[in-house]
Amino acid sequence: MSPLIQLHDITKTYITGETTLLALNHVNLTINEHELVAIVGESGSGKSTMLHTLGLLDKPTSGSYLLNGKEVAKLNDDELSSLRNLKMGFAFQAFFLLPRFDAIHNVMLPLLYRGVNLNESKERALQILDKLSMTKFKYQRPNQMSGGQQQRVAIARALIGNPDIVFADEPTGALDSKTSKEIIDVFIKLYEEEKKTVIMVTHDIKIALQCRRMITVKDGKIVNDVRDEERKA
Amino acid sequence: MNLKMHFRTAITNLNSTKLRSMLAALGILVGTASVVAMISGGQLASYQALQQFKALGTNLMSITINTASSSDSGDSSNLSSATTSSPVTVQEAINLKTASSDITSIAPYISLYQPMKFQGHTVSGTILGTTETLQNIMKLTMQEGRFVSLLDKNNYYCVIGQKIYTELKKYSLDPMGQQISIGSSIFTIIGILKDWTQNSFIYADLNQSVFVPINTAYIISSYAQIYNVILKLNEGTNITTLEQDITNYFNQNIPGKSLYFQSAAQILASMTSQQQILTAFLGFIGGISLLVGGIGIMNIMLVSVAERRQEIGIRLAVGAKKRDIQKMFLIEAVVLSFFGGIAGVLFGLTISFAIAIYQGWLFMIFYQPILLGFVVSVLTGIFFGFYPAYKASKLLPIETLRGIE
Ligand SMILES: Nc1ncnc2c1ncn2[C@@H]1O[C@H](COP(=O)(O)OP(=O)(O)OP(=O)(O)O)[C@@H](O)[C@H]1O
Ligand SMILES: [Mg+2]
């Protein structure tokens, strides 16, 4: 069976005026199903760029990206949208909830774009909100919730479509340490109990150490890639 | 995402920027209202014009007969023929029927202005010397008694119009059979007409007229002369040919006359074409306001797209396709202009109602301007919403998310 994700010689260049910046510098990376991966590195090292590329939100300048053994460079925008919708879930530092819609509507969005009808979407959104102990906030809009609550809603939205991979870019970056711990526990549970692949960018070394695999990025290059087993050894 | 869901989303989004949405829809409202008001106002006017002729029919023609003034004074024979040309007699006017087989009946009439008195009170009105054909052609209905006739010869009988009747009633409970003085003669009222709907084909107000037998008119005044003849024609008569036939007839039998023709069909046609020009012109103005309204919608939608880049990014990230994004903005624009359209149609109808009241027209609701108002407002929304929506759909997920990260 082919690995879940295979990056081969991926580069990403940003050209701003005269300067050219290599945000991803010939990256090779393999991630299997059911992994819990932390991506760490200095600010500006290319962590987010890597996560966005993996999450099909951004396109690499060159190289090959096989998702479930299939080259994604050949896919058009609509096929990429479908893949994100069916296989991926996202959580960001800034939550990225729709400000004009309440928690339920934010959570059910991926299902609506999948063509699931309104009632079923609502029902499933309620179930997932309940699972994240957010039932109380179902009719609240983002500006009526705390950061931790908003992140839970964002995670509920990431999970409602039952994705294979959950991407998180500094999901606790805007939260205090107690709330951070609760949110990280949600991701660890996802990995342990629901057997999902979780890929998380973080600044926090304590969080990174809780993950089974830690990838260190520097100047767009993977400089270190250790798994738990190796760390313990 | 299905259409219903798109509409709900549109309502939520528009609702959260209420004031702005309302201002944007206002432009469409004004545009739609002017289109609806102008077109339905125009239709009311045409209807009004048509209505006048509906009762009488359009197969009517009037001829005004004048004695030709000599154009060439140097030619003595011509001059003498002009001066000696006598007025048209009643018999000559009636014989005009032989000019064309398209003429079915003829009503010559003489109009006179003479002081009238009823029981010592002055009564104002036109005196018309007529025959029974006028009643028939003008569809005059009797309230009481009978109309004057050629058979009355030069008897002193008269028939009064409805307004005269109302005036006389002030002085006498039952004017029927009573006497009224016209000039120096005394007439007996033998008939009263019901109210007659004003018609631009005949200039006299028949409600304000006193009808006397045509031969009697010659006795009342030495100036009495037949200047006007009304003809009833066969349906579908060729007016130009008929005018030629009549002109030829006059040249042969009653020379030295200048004729002025007017046909109901022509009056109606010119009224309708004037109305159409007006409607088109006003519709054009409405179109311009819609254009301005549409640009307003486009402007608001462009602002909205720029402001909601993050939302677009989020939607793309969770699986929205380009066409979903495009639909979202397009439907918002359409919903916006549709609401503007509804309000505009209502407002436009109110304006045309006010016009009808002001002009004293019968108010009716025509479906065409309403339908047109809706269609045009929705089309405006689609047309002017398309570009912003297209622009939104071109954005890439990461571009839209990065901005705020
Ligand atoms: N759209 C862009 N245009 C130009 N340069 C960009 C663009 N996006 C990112 N970069 C550059 O690419 C590099 C990598 O950026 P990236 O956001 O991946 O860093 P990061 O590791 O996530 O940093 P942080 O920890 O601060 O979030 C940075 O130097 C950044 O300035
Ligand atoms: Mg980053």
Side-chain angles (χ1 to χ4, degrees), chain A:
Chain A
M1 205 178 99
S2 56
L4 183 60
I5 287 171
Q6 265 181 301
L7 296 188
H8 205 78
D9 208 22
I10 289 281
T11 67
K12 176 76 184 179
T13 30
Y14 288 116
I15 302 164
T16 21
E18 300 281 282
T19 57
T20 309
L21 185 112
L22 208 53
L24 293 179
N25 189 355
H26 302 279
V27 172
N28 292 293
L29 175 66
T30 302
I31 296 173
N32 291 307
E33 265 173 37
H34 194 220
E35 281 206 69
L36 176 57
V37 185
I39 302 174
V40 296
E42 288 166 14
S43 187
S45 56
K47 306 181 293 296
S48 294
T49 306
M50 186 182 290
L51 194 83
H52 293 152
T53 307
L54 291 173
L56 304 177
L57 294 170
D58 206 353
K59 289 175 180 171
T61 310
S62 70
S64 131
Y65 173 4
L66 303 181
L67 181 68
N68 288 316
K70 267 170 105 183
E71 178 56 61
V72 297
K74 289 180 190 146
L75 303 177
N76 65 28
D77 288 336
D78 283 358
E79 289 165 327
L80 293 175
S81 279
S82 285
L83 272 183
R84 285 195 296 270
N85 182 276
L86 295 168
K87 299 212 179 281
M88 302 172 174
F90 298 91
F92 300 92
Q93 178 175 1
F95 320 128
F96 287 160
L97 296 174
L98 298 181
R100 293 165 180 175
F101 294 84
D102 62 18
I104 299 188
H105 278 83
N106 267 288
V107 172
M108 67 189 190
L109 207 54
L111 293 189
L112 294 178
Y113 281 119
R114 203 181 279 190
V116 178
N117 73 43
L118 186 65
N119 285 337
E120 194 187 332
S121 303
K122 245 182 199 162
E123 206 167 297
R124 280 169 64 181
L126 280 173
Q127 283 168 9
I128 202 104
L129 279 170
D130 188 48
K131 222 159 116 187
L132 290 157
S133 340
M134 287 296 294
T135 309
K136 242 170 61 186
F137 300 92
K138 59 186 173 190
Y139 296 128
Q140 244 132 292
R141 283 200 299 274
N143 62 4
Q144 300 165 317
M145 287 184 268
S146 75
Q149 286 155 358
Q150 288 184 61
Q151 195 59 289
R152 280 174 186 272
V153 173
I155 293 170
R157 182 181 64 192
L159 298 181
I160 194 168
N162 194 26
D164 298 339
I165 319 167
V166 176
F167 295 97
D169 194 349
E170 300 187 40
T172 62
L175 306 175
D176 64 35
S177 58
K178 182 174 164 284
T179 319
S180 292
K181 197 185 166 310
E182 287 169 13
I183 294 293
I184 293 303
D185 286 345
V186 172
F187 286 108
I188 292 176
K189 249 168 103 178
L190 269 180
Y191 163 74
E192 284 176 348
E193 291 171 17
E194 314 220 356
K195 313 291 179 208
K196 304 272 183 222
T197 300
V198 178
I199 304 172
M200 193 191 313
V201 169
T202 180
H203 263 123
D204 190 332
I205 192 70
K206 274 189 280 177
I207 292 171
L209 285 172
Q210 284 178 277
C211 298
R212 298 306 111 93
R213 182 178 174 187
M214 186 159 88
I215 293 171
T216 313
V217 182
K218 192 168 192 272
D219 298 331
K221 273 194 164 122
I222 295 178
V223 291
N224 200 4
D225 182 354
V226 282
R227 287 165 205 270
D228 241 4
E229 314 85 82
E230 301 161 29
R231 212 163 19 196
K232 278 168 192 147

Side-chain angles (χ1 to χ4, degrees), chain B residues 86-392:
Chain B
S86 53
V88 178
T89 65
V90 175
Q91 200 49 53
E92 277 172 335
I94 291 170
N95 285 347
L96 197 57
K97 201 171 168 192
T98 57
S100 164
S101 57
D102 274 329
I103 304 173
T104 61
S105 53
I106 292 191
Y109 67 89
I110 296 171
S111 41
L112 293 172
Y113 296 92
Q114 289 277 328
M116 293 190 282
K117 276 209 155 102
F118 181 71
Q119 298 186 353
H121 303 277
T122 304
V123 178
S124 60
T126 313
I127 295 139
L128 292 177
T130 67
T131 66
E132 61 270 36
T133 0
L134 186 81
Q135 181 196 8
N136 186 305
I137 294 179
M138 283 291 136
K139 303 236 165 83
L140 303 170
T141 41
M142 303 307 299
Q143 176 176 304
E144 228 183 319
R146 65 168 178 87
F147 200 68
V148 292
S149 156
L150 266 182
L151 299 175
D152 289 325
K153 302 232 157 55
N154 44 18
N155 276 316
Y156 289 76
Y157 293 147
C158 76
V159 169
I160 54 174
Q162 187 58 222
K163 279 189 200 159
I164 303 266
Y165 171 70
T166 337
E167 199 180 336
L168 299 196
K169 274 206 60 141
K170 283 191 265 178
Y171 317 118
S172 165
L173 267 182
D174 185 12
M176 184 68 185
Q178 306 230 27
Q179 303 204 309
I180 183 167
S181 73
I182 302 174
S184 52
S185 317
I186 307 290
F187 283 73
T188 308
I189 299 172
I190 58 159
I192 297 159
L193 289 174
K194 280 194 185 158
D195 189 56
W196 173 80
T197 319
Q198 192 67 31
N199 186 289
S200 51
F201 184 67
I202 184 163
Y203 296 115
D205 178 358
L206 301 189
N207 289 324
Q208 190 75 56
S209 299
V210 173
F211 304 80
V212 301
I214 193 159
N215 287 315
T216 315
Y218 287 106
I219 303 173
I220 307 175
S221 164
S222 51
Y223 295 108
Q225 215 192 103
I226 298 175
Y227 288 111
N228 299 90
V229 176
I230 295 178
L231 310 179
K232 187 165 186 165
L233 315 171
N234 280 324
E235 225 44 81
T237 298
N238 182 324
I239 299 298
T240 328
T241 318
L242 180 65
E243 284 178 8
Q244 199 50 56
D245 288 347
I246 293 172
T247 310
N248 290 342
Y249 179 88
F250 266 90
N251 285 342
Q252 280 168 24
N253 302 295
I254 326 162
K257 302 289 173 202
S258 75
L259 304 176
Y260 173 67
F261 298 95
Q262 221 183 359
S263 86
Q266 282 167 345
I267 297 178
L268 188 62
S270 83
M271 271 162 93
T272 320
S273 82
Q274 273 175 21
Q275 203 48 252
Q276 276 167 348
I277 292 170
L278 195 69
T279 303
F281 175 69
L282 298 180
F284 175 73
I285 292 178
I288 298 277
S289 7
L290 263 177
L291 182 75
V292 174
I295 292 170
I297 294 272
M298 177 137 109
N299 184 32
I300 291 293
M301 291 316 292
L302 282 174
V303 169
S304 183
V305 170
E307 274 181 0
R308 287 156 64 191
R309 286 171 67 90
Q310 184 183 351
E311 176 186 339
I312 296 167
I314 294 167
R315 289 180 182 274
L316 287 170
V318 301
K321 298 191 168 75
K322 281 167 178 284
R323 62 168 175 277
D324 289 318
I325 301 298
Q326 187 164 0
K327 258 192 222 159
M328 177 171 80
F329 284 99
L330 193 57
I331 287 175
E332 271 179 44
V334 170
V335 167
L336 205 56
S337 47
F338 183 69
F339 279 124
I342 291 180
V345 165
L346 292 177
F347 191 50
L349 287 177
T350 313
I351 294 174
S352 68
F353 178 71
I355 293 174
I357 296 267
Y358 180 76
Q359 298 275 8
W361 297 339
L362 188 67
F363 179 69
M364 281 184 298
I365 292 182
F366 295 96
Y367 75 93
Q368 298 102 314
I370 298 180
L371 201 70
L372 192 76
F374 278 126
V375 168
V376 153
S377 67
V378 168
L379 285 182
T380 309
I382 293 175
F383 186 78
F384 289 97
F386 187 83
Y387 176 67
Y390 171 79
K391 231 183 129 183

